[in-house]
Amino acid sequence: MLEYRSVVCVFHGIGVSEEIRILRINGQEQPEWKGRRWVDYLNTSARDGWELVTVNHLGGGLLVHFKREI
């Protein structure tokens, strides 16, 4: 069985130094990620078993979908 997660992220900066301004997981804002690096979020998600499925560019950020086995 699979579990899915939708993430919306708005950034400040470019490349691996991109700092998170807003991060929402399944519509819920995650203030603990504000000011942290996007690459750190991706690494944390991978350690938690999440696999990146799709990436869609938005005006100032991304809409990203993840999945994992439950």
Side-chain angles (χ1 to χ4, degrees):
M1 184 169 211
L2 294 174
E3 176 180 21
Y4 293 91
R5 172 189 275 186
S6 296
V7 177
V8 172
C9 188
V10 178
F11 302 106
H12 174 70
I14 57 170
V16 294
S17 66
E18 290 179 327
E19 286 186 5
I20 296 170
R21 282 188 173 172
I22 299 169
L23 183 85
R24 289 191 182 104
I25 299 174
N26 296 332
Q28 299 293 319
E29 191 159 343
Q30 308 295 310
E32 66 273 15
W33 283 99
K34 185 175 182 176
R36 295 177 66 188
R37 295 182 321 152
W38 174 241
V39 69
D40 294 333
Y41 176 77
L42 293 174
N43 288 331
T44 298
S45 295
R47 277 192 299 274
D48 291 342
W50 290 101
E51 178 185 342
L52 188 116
V53 179
T54 63
V55 177
N56 297 290
H57 292 273
L58 302 174
L62 299 173
L63 170 60
V64 182
H65 294 97
F66 294 88
K67 70 177 180 180
R68 72 175 173 184
E69 294 275 339
I70 53 172

